[in-house]
Each structure stands twice: as structure tokens, then as C-alpha cells.
Amino acid sequence: MLKDFCAYVTDHTSAKDHIIAANEGNAIALAAGYHLATGKNGVVYLQNSGLGNCINPLTSLTDKEIYSLPVLLLIGWRAEPGKKDEPQHLKMGKITLPLLDTLDIPYSIVPDSEEEAKQMMQKAVHHFATAKTPYALIARDGIFEAYSLQKEHKTDFPLNREEALKIVASQLGEKDIIVSTTGKTSRELFEFRETTGKNKEESHKQDFLTVGSMGHSSAIAIGIALQKPRQKVYCFDGDGALIMHMGILSTVGKLEPANFNHIIFNNFAHDSVGGQPTAADAINILELAKANGYKTVFRAETAEEIKNRISKMQSIDGPTLLEIRCNKGARKNLGRPTQSPQENKKQFMNFLQQRD
Ligand SMILES: Cc1ncc(C[n+]2csc(CCOP(=O)(O)OP(=O)(O)O)c2C)c(N)n1
């Protein structure tokens, strides 16, 4: 929802002033640090899916009952009541405004006209001068003009995420358990099964699609792996999702689930929401995994390399991690799961029950 806004900000600010945070809670804390250092007010922009990640710092860092720190929040409102949206957004869409009320954060819904928008900003500025706490602007779908990023950074790997994902999924066996991450990864896996499965009804049973809860699919996979030690569990993750909740890597190191296999489709971007860059270019995912106790780590770029690494992962004990470097970008006609999350859960649990 904030794709155009983010692209505009990227083109018109320095990287130091426009930070793409690992997660939304970090963004609140970065803005808090900015205020402490400068006395000025930072802006934190997020889709409302990330409001949950902000609650801890909003209640125990910026709130008036503690440090009282001003931050301007700009929140993209997915699943505004009355508008059609995907199941993972429905609850947050409904509670976005009540949640802000509960948090004592005043807000304005961004108006259509520039004149009213100026008045809204005056209100926010007045709030900062008097109350010195967060103020939120709620952005409805379509409120920003279209804007295409000029400074776009393109990679030149042999494959994109969907091509790489199809190769991985075709290499895995019928018994393997897959937990896929939020965004287009799960949508592409769903479509892959639709087109290749012999029995459409049954073809998704080995996949748990983490359509919401970004950054947590690896923890779900580990939770399963620990209970099904004889089954191989594969997490299809994104670089943005990995970075968002990187702390889970320490749990892998601590518990060393031998059947847990982590595949990162690293396109260096939040591709599913507009392709904003992640910090994946600044970190070494393989070193990170090794330092956190993964037994074997690999990297692949070509179809051949992917096939080799997957067949190796199938034959050794883990925890393992495979980083697949790929280009961002997806098909325009990529669909969304036609199975409901609860149908997915039911089939998946039946599938797990048949394994020990
Ligand atoms: C907590 C939270 N923040 C933001 C989002 C919006 N969102 C959905 S997918 C996605 C990008 C995921 O990036 P990555 O894991 O790198 O996968 P890619 O889309 O590049 O394949 C984002 C930011 C969300 N669903 N949840």
C-alpha cells in the first residue's frame, strides 16, 4: 500500500535519513533514538500488518507513561472494514483504529485533498509540540499517486524466485514437510501444486502456507521438526522475513533439529510488497547460519546448483541452510491460494498425523 510512497522517499532522501528497518518495532526504536539525538520527530511508515511488531516499543518506550517520545506513524490500512482483502489482513484491518485508541495514539485518516492534508499535518505538529507522543496518519488504499522508483537496483542472477522455487519443490519428495513464508513465495508454491498435482484436492497437503505472520515461518517449521524427528522439514523463507526475526537462528543453534532445512530465496528485496531493498546485501547469510549452529550451509544460483544442493540436503542430517540467490520480480497473473487458511491447516495436520 505504501509502495509508491516508499519509492518516492527512496529517490528523494539519503540512505542515512531513510532506513529500511528489519522490522517495524525496530523502526519505532530507531525513530526514538533519532529524537533523543536531534530533538526532531522521525517518521515510521508501515503496513498495518506490522503494527503488532510495534506494540512493545509503543507501550514501553514512546508512551507518555514512560519516556514520552514523538513519532509520526504512517500506516497503510489493509482490510479497511467494508473492503475486500486477504484473510491474513482481516483482523488487523478491523482493529487498526481501536488498537490506536487503546494505545492512546491520536490519528487522522489521510484526506483526499492537499489542503486538508496540510491541516492534518498542522494537527500532528501541534500534537508533537504539546503532547510529545506518537501521532498516526492512516493511509487508505489508493491515497498516494503512482510513482516508479528511479534508483532501482537490479540483480543479474540466472533465475527469479518462482523459477528457483519450482526446481526446489520438484526435487523434494512426497513425504517432505514444507512451511513457506509470507507473500509471493507461498502464492507461487500454491500455484505450483495446482499445476503439477495429480489430485488437486490433495496436492497442497504437505505445505503449510504462512500467509501472515511474516518472519515466523522458520519458527513454525522448527516447532514441527522437533515433534516429527523422522520427517524432513523444509522452510521456504525470504531474505526480508529471515532478517525480520533473525533471533530464531539462535534457537536452531540451541536445539540443533537434525531434520530442519532452511531455504532462503534471497532476492535482496521485499519483492512481494514493491521490491524495497532489504539489508541482505550487507550481511553474509551463510556465515550467519554457521555462527548460529547450522551444520551445513550452501549457496546456489543456477538450476544445476540447486538440484545438487537439494539432493545433498535430502541425504544428510541438519540443521542445514541453502541460500538461493535470485532476481526479484514475479508474474503479473500470479494468483492467490484458493484454499482457505483453515482448509490448509486441516489437510496439513492430517498429513502430519500420518507421519511419526
Ligand atoms: C509484520 C509484517 N510486516 C510487513 C508485512 C508486509 N509484507 C508481506 S510480504 C513482505 C515482503 C517479504 O520479503 P521477503 O521475505 O524478502 O520475500 P519476497 O517478497 O522478497 O519474496 C512484506 C514486507 C507483513 N505481512 N507483515
Side-chain angles (χ1 to χ4, degrees):
M1 243 173 213
L2 299 182
K3 174 166 72 73
D4 301 295
F5 174 85
C6 288
Y8 186 86
V9 173
T10 303
D11 278 346
H12 294 83
T13 53
S14 74
K16 183 171 74 60
D17 292 331
H18 165 52
I19 304 168
I20 300 179
N23 64 58
E24 297 83 353
N26 280 179
I28 302 284
L30 283 160
Y34 173 76
H35 177 78
L36 292 174
T38 63
K40 295 198 255 179
N41 310 317
V43 185
V44 170
Y45 26 102
L46 61 142
Q47 180 171 293
N48 56 349
S49 343
L51 198 49
N53 280 338
C54 296
I55 290 190
N56 175 257
L58 287 176
T59 55
S60 60
L61 175 66
T62 56
D63 192 83
K64 68 172 180 300
E65 294 194 34
I66 179 140
Y67 296 105
S68 192
L69 302 168
V71 182
L72 184 66
L73 302 169
L74 172 61
I75 304 174
W77 197 3
R78 287 210 64 162
E80 176 184 345
K83 290 196 178 161
K84 224 174 154 251
D85 211 324
E86 294 302 302
Q88 64 271 25
H89 299 295
L90 297 181
K91 177 63 107 188
M92 186 48 93
K94 227 180 288 173
I95 68 169
T96 296
L97 302 186
L99 197 55
L100 291 171
D101 287 333
T102 302
L103 291 166
D104 286 328
I105 298 178
Y107 56 81
S108 300
I109 295 177
V110 179
D112 287 323
S113 83
E114 241 177 277
E115 199 39 53
E116 284 171 295
K118 278 186 194 149
Q119 286 166 14
M120 170 188 78
M121 290 312 296
Q122 278 162 7
K123 210 167 143 189
V125 169
H126 176 73
H127 172 84
F128 291 142
T130 50
K132 298 190 172 58
T133 58
Y135 190 93
L137 311 180
I138 308 296
R140 287 183 153 138
D141 193 12
I143 196 75
F144 291 108
E145 267 175 44
Y147 180 85
S148 305
L149 192 66
Q150 310 295 305
K151 283 187 198 162
E152 186 139 32
H153 177 69
K154 288 214 164 102
T155 53
D156 190 22
F157 297 112
L159 305 168
N160 67 17
R161 182 194 46 236
E162 184 171 31
E163 290 161 340
L165 181 143
K166 283 180 175 172
I167 298 164
V168 175
S170 341
Q171 287 281 112
L172 296 179
E174 283 180 3
K175 291 185 180 159
D176 293 320
I177 297 164
I178 298 171
V179 180
S180 58
T181 188
T182 318
K184 291 185 177 166
T185 303
S186 283
R187 291 165 61 184
E188 286 165 354
L189 178 61
F190 186 88
E191 288 216 344
F192 171 79
R193 299 290 189 209
E194 287 281 290
T195 48
T196 54
K198 290 175 207 106
N199 172 353
K200 268 209 180 160
E201 277 285 287
E202 286 265 283
S203 65
H204 306 284
K205 63 182 181 196
Q206 70 194 99
D207 308 327
F208 182 81
L209 309 178
T210 317
V211 291
S213 218
M214 179 176 161
H216 291 304
S217 61
S218 52
I220 298 168
I222 293 162
I224 296 168
L226 292 169
Q227 301 308 317
K228 300 283 171 187
R230 293 216 288 240
Q231 296 304 128
K232 282 210 169 265
V233 181
Y234 288 83
C235 174
F236 287 9
D237 221 345
D239 49 299
L242 171 77
I243 289 169
M244 179 170 274
H245 291 303
M246 214 187 247
I248 189 64
L249 298 186
S250 66
T251 307
V252 176
K254 194 77 184 162
L255 301 175
E256 295 185 324
N259 55 338
F260 174 64
N261 304 281
H262 206 163
I263 299 178
I264 317 293
F265 294 94
N266 183 8
N267 51 17
F268 300 84
H270 294 110
D271 185 48
S272 302
V273 290
Q276 303 84 352
T278 66
D281 61 338
I283 62 171
N284 183 328
I285 292 177
L286 300 195
E287 292 297 328
L288 185 72
K290 268 203 279 182
N292 278 277
Y294 283 71
K295 256 188 159 172
T296 310
V297 298
F298 310 96
R299 184 173 285 145
E301 288 180 11
T302 65
E304 235 14 69
E305 286 166 354
I306 297 174
K307 285 183 195 160
N308 288 341
R309 308 290 189 261
I310 296 289
S311 85
K312 183 89 186 154
M313 283 166 110
Q314 290 283 60
S315 67
I316 59 174
D317 271 349
T320 68
L321 179 140
L322 168 63
E323 176 195 7
I324 301 178
R325 294 190 159 183
C326 51
N327 299 322
K328 62 179 182 178
R331 270 186 294 129
K332 287 261 176 302
N333 63 348
L334 178 64
R336 293 182 180 272
T338 48
Q339 220 179 27
S340 74
Q342 299 208 12
E343 280 164 352
N344 179 211
K345 177 188 82 170
K346 201 168 151 207
Q347 275 197 2
F348 184 72
M349 286 183 76
N350 280 340
F351 176 74
L352 292 189
Q353 260 165 32
Q354 289 152 20
R355 339 236 126 228
D356 58 13

